[in-house]
Amino acid sequence: IPMVEASEARNLALMQAASDLQALKPMGLFDPDTLLVRVINHAGHKLPTGYPEGRRMWLNVRFYDASNAMIAERGIYDNATAAFNGAGTKVYEAKLGLDAAMAALTGKPQGPGFHFALNNTWFFDNRIPPRGFTNAGFASVQAAPVGYTYQDGQYWDNTLYEIPAGAVRAEVALLHQTTTKEFIEFLRDKNTTDARGIVAYEIWEALGKSAPVTMATATINLAPCNADYNASGEVDVIDFLDFIDAFGQTLPGADVNADGSIDVLDVLDFFDAFGVCLG
């Protein structure tokens, strides 16, 4: 149906405009066998946002050797079974549930869960804040991060990965899923009053099991030199100019040593790496 297809295309474009993804080898502070992946939030709200039950976003990282064989993967998703293995990667999500008082009142287990109408507390929320974020401001509306830390003004997040031996290239993808397998199975199994839970599950299954959408991708050459700021495959004056421009605008990408601050140490670390690569 053309109207449905047009709507899907608009939704995909909106999702892909919501973030940027950077992959780089951080300078100065970390082991040279470390890959840093940075997700930048361009939305006017937390990323991901919306109905939190069953919704998540994660980083898929694939490492390749010189023969172009994949030798390691983090954040593995099986499209056929909708099974997800988040070990070793970053998953952005919110987990709500019942506190002790609500658990005692309802007879439901205390802790994270999918009882939307009963949930009364946050157990975890590492979703990336938008521009203008302050901890005090978000805490005042019960929207502060939980179990995770963002600095005032931070609208990006960094994740470090150990580069496996033999890897010469990494491909990174930021994926978003609207309805997880765990959530839809909860709806199917816990609704005993009518068939709506089963119907919802059957629709989810028939329409691709809420296959994740790729929001952004990045590829990086893992050669020893880490001053290839624009990831063009070579180090030249354009990398220097791009870094100076980002630093002048205090863009997240100017935090080349990934210490959470954009300051003179980033300049020194970049200049040092730039000199080594050209030397």
Side-chain angles (χ1 to χ4, degrees):
I1 302 175
M3 291 182 62
V4 173
E5 293 174 350
S7 178
E8 290 176 346
R10 288 194 299 270
N11 284 334
L12 178 59
L14 184 64
M15 293 288 292
Q16 293 177 338
S19 66
D20 272 341
L21 186 63
Q22 298 176 337
L24 58 102
K25 296 181 70 176
M27 306 169 191
L29 291 184
F30 299 105
D31 186 282
D33 293 327
T34 298
L35 169 67
L36 183 145
V37 177
R38 176 177 293 135
V39 182
I40 303 171
N41 181 5
H42 290 312
H45 45 65
K46 287 185 177 183
L47 189 70
T49 191
Y51 189 62
E53 281 83 0
R55 187 168 298 194
R56 64 189 172 197
M57 186 175 74
W58 72 88
L59 289 167
N60 173 264
V61 183
R62 300 179 179 183
F63 294 98
Y64 294 86
D65 66 14
S67 67
N68 206 35
M70 186 174 70
I71 58 176
E73 183 178 11
R74 308 287 181 263
I76 303 171
Y77 184 83
D78 187 329
N79 281 290
T81 65
F84 172 61
N85 181 355
T89 196
K90 179 71 64 63
V91 181
Y92 297 98
E93 60 187 346
K95 294 183 179 180
L96 291 83
L98 280 64
D99 63 14
M102 181 61 77
L105 182 64
T106 62
K108 303 294 183 183
Q110 179 183 353
F114 294 127
H115 289 283
F116 176 74
L118 302 179
N119 289 342
N120 69 334
T121 192
W122 297 83
F123 285 90
F124 184 74
D125 184 1
N126 70 338
R127 295 173 297 170
I128 305 173
R131 285 176 171 82
F133 165 78
T134 65
N135 283 281
F138 273 57
S140 70
V141 292
Q142 301 180 5
V146 178
Y148 204 79
T149 301
Y150 289 101
Q151 302 299 317
D152 286 354
Q154 185 176 347
Y155 57 95
W156 64 91
D157 185 57
N158 296 331
T159 306
L160 295 173
Y161 295 88
E162 181 179 350
I163 299 172
V168 301
R169 188 180 87 258
E171 296 182 356
V172 185
L174 180 65
L175 303 176
H176 179 278
Q177 186 175 33
T178 303
T179 306
T180 66
K181 179 179 181 180
E182 295 79 9
F183 179 54
I184 197 67
E185 288 180 346
F186 170 85
L187 296 180
R188 179 195 64 189
D189 299 340
K190 296 300 181 180
N191 180 14
T192 59
T193 58
D194 55 34
R196 293 182 183 180
I198 295 175
V199 171
Y201 179 85
E202 290 175 345
I203 293 173
W204 173 84
E205 193 171 42
L207 296 180
K209 301 179 180 178
S210 188
V213 171
T214 301
M215 298 179 64
T217 60
T219 299
I220 181 171
N221 182 342
L222 298 174
C225 182
N226 59 354
D228 183 12
Y229 187 78
N230 55 21
S232 67
E234 59 184 53
V235 176
D236 53 26
V237 69
I238 304 301
D239 295 292
F240 181 88
L241 295 175
D242 286 345
F243 168 73
I244 293 300
D245 181 59
F247 185 83
Q249 298 183 60
T250 64
L251 298 178
D255 181 19
V256 295
N257 58 21
D259 66 352
S261 300
I262 299 173
D263 53 28
V264 68
L265 294 179
D266 295 294
V267 176
L268 295 176
D269 284 339
F270 179 79
F271 283 10
D272 181 62
F274 189 81
V276 170
C277 292
L278 293 184

